[in-house]
Amino acid sequence: MENFLFDVPTRVQFGKEKTNELSSEIKKYGKRVLLAYGGGFIKKTGLYDNIVNQFNNNGISFFELPGIKPNPRLSSVHEGIRLCLENDVDLVLAVGGGSVLDCCKAIAAGVPYEGDVWDFTGDKEVEAALPVGCVLTLAATGSEMNGNSVISKEETLEKKAIKSPLLKPKFSILDPALTFSVNQWQTAAGTVDIMSHVFEQYLVPDKGAFLLDRMSEAILKTCIKYGPVAVENPDNYEARSNLLWASTLALNGLLTQGKENGDWSTHLIEHEVSAIYDLTHGAGLAILFPNWMKYVNESEMTWKFAEYGRNVWNINEGSDADIAEKAIEETRNFFTKLGMPATLSDVDIPDEKIKEMASKSVENGSIGYTKELNKEDVEKILEMSK
Ligand code: NZQ
Ligand code: ZN
């Protein structure tokens, strides 16, 4: 294993009724909060009223940023920064899924910065940020315990990440019951996203990270067991709780510590697709990932795909090459069983922008660690996906 520093300062409050801990978590940072949320499910489910009552009972002032869209827009980030500055906010609180949380992280980075927060998607490093906390409502991104924020810029149809340890949430409240109301499509997409985060870190050439690979397989099996249960029975607490903790563990840094790298090319390609077509992130990954697997399953990586087939899908018959191929097929079948699309045309995305998406994916040079991909490689993966 490689050397590492694992430093995640996020306090995780996991379980039923944990939203009741919100005020005491917030008060460690102050009493003026930006309350950010999305399109309104938090009002329908009563979560909003619960939080507002708590704030009123605990002397917490709040300023609202509603309407944050999936694939959160830079304009919402700017609006949030303005609200924080005008109201001298102490903490940015996200109530929602990864999009709301990512928007809040970007706001937190933008408040103490004089330039445009979009600069942080390039070389500029975040040097200071407001504290961020969240009440997470969807199992998917792992944003609840990492320092990433993925933001879309409307005018240029770009979708890029800001990354900084300063953006790791100070606390994350994870009550699986809050995810009961997530619909079938988002539940399936979230499950695919969790699995994809594992794939990016597991399907790599490193051989010495036995422990990390077994942890990765455990998370994949958890998604395979409980994803379909949650899609069919949204109120199943066992399924929702396992998926929620899987989402956190899949992308809080744990699975890469001790490895040289993750691959992440499928994520970069997907971000170009959803930047242009505003597709649900997990649905884009469901289309692309099995095709990336086919594309990089070459002789020197086949042992890894075969290991995945044996340990995750219990495929034991045949050569490594046979098992690897079947494992990739199982992955596609599983995504289809969850109700996810298999091609870009399934979600009405035409093939006319494949070249553009491929060039944008590699605009900073070739991508990928498992296999280095150039523009032509990405184009081929997108062609396989159309
Ligand atoms: O609009 P609202 O009303 O908020 O409804 C949301 C939204 O429409 C709904 N939802 C969330 N919780 C719900 C619920 N509906 C009913 N009941 C609940 N409990 O679900 C819809 C999708 O929400 P969103 O936040 O967009 O989903 P997700 O958590 O999958 O986040 C996706 C975003 O995160 C980025 C993606 O690219 C995408 O922009 N990612 C962030 C990462 C990170 N920060 O580390 C890593 C990921 O790879 C990913 O790129
Ligand atoms: Zn993802």
Side-chain angles (χ1 to χ4, degrees), residues 138-153:
L138 199 166
T141 63
S143 187
E144 61 272 21
M145 209 173 171
N146 71 39
N148 308 337
S149 158
V150 183
I151 301 296
S152 295
K153 188 174 185 179

Side-chain angles (χ1 to χ4, degrees), residues 190-218:
T191 304
V192 173
D193 194 22
I194 300 168
M195 292 177 74
S196 300
H197 296 155
V198 178
F199 292 148
E200 300 280 20
Q201 300 166 88
Y202 170 67
L203 297 172
V204 295
D206 301 49
K207 284 197 166 149
F210 182 91
L211 172 66
L212 299 177
D213 284 346
R214 302 299 82 73
M215 292 197 297
S216 299
E217 289 157 2

Side-chain angles (χ1 to χ4, degrees), residues 43-191:
K43 293 202 169 161
K44 285 188 208 126
T45 57
L47 180 58
Y48 175 86
D49 288 341
N50 176 0
I51 289 173
V52 167
N53 286 340
Q54 250 195 72
F55 285 177
N56 291 338
N57 294 336
N58 285 278
I60 294 174
S61 316
F62 62 97
F63 310 91
E64 295 189 43
L65 177 64
I68 297 169
K69 295 204 169 93
N71 299 321
R73 314 300 146 99
L74 185 60
S75 52
S76 286
V77 177
H78 286 152
E79 173 66 4
I81 294 170
R82 189 187 63 75
L83 284 167
C84 287
L85 290 171
E86 265 178 29
N87 296 295
D88 199 16
V89 156
D90 300 313
L91 176 133
V92 187
L93 178 71
V95 183
S99 293
V100 175
L101 180 48
D102 283 6
C103 183
C104 287
K105 289 177 178 178
I107 293 167
V111 169
Y113 180 58
E114 300 221 325
D116 186 350
V117 65
W118 189 253
D119 296 348
F120 296 127
T121 64
D123 291 338
K124 183 87 196 151
E125 293 222 351
V126 177
E127 284 169 11
L130 281 183
V132 176
C134 83
V135 178
L136 193 80
T137 60
L138 199 166
T141 63
S143 187
E144 61 272 21
M145 209 173 171
N146 71 39
N148 308 337
S149 158
V150 183
I151 301 296
S152 295
K153 188 174 185 179
E154 302 91 317
E155 307 89 62
T156 51
L157 296 179
E158 288 173 282
K159 181 173 179 180
K160 288 188 184 286
I162 301 173
K163 294 186 180 181
S164 167
L166 296 174
L167 300 183
K168 290 177 184 173
K170 299 292 180 210
F171 63 84
S172 284
I173 294 182
L174 309 180
D175 177 351
L178 295 181
T179 70
F180 286 170
S181 51
V182 178
N183 67 23
Q184 290 190 328
W185 170 264
Q186 293 292 347
T187 301
T191 304

Side-chain angles (χ1 to χ4, degrees), residues 202-203 217 220-221 302-317 320 322-328 330-331:
Y202 170 67
L203 297 172
E217 289 157 2
L220 291 171
K221 286 177 168 177
T302 296
W303 69 273
K304 186 76 214 186
F305 285 94
E307 184 176 83
Y308 165 54
R310 285 191 196 93
N311 294 349
V312 175
W313 294 107
N314 301 315
I315 309 166
N316 292 301
E317 301 284 309
D320 268 15
D322 296 335
I323 296 175
E325 207 175 300
K326 281 189 195 138
I328 297 171
E330 288 288 348
T331 312

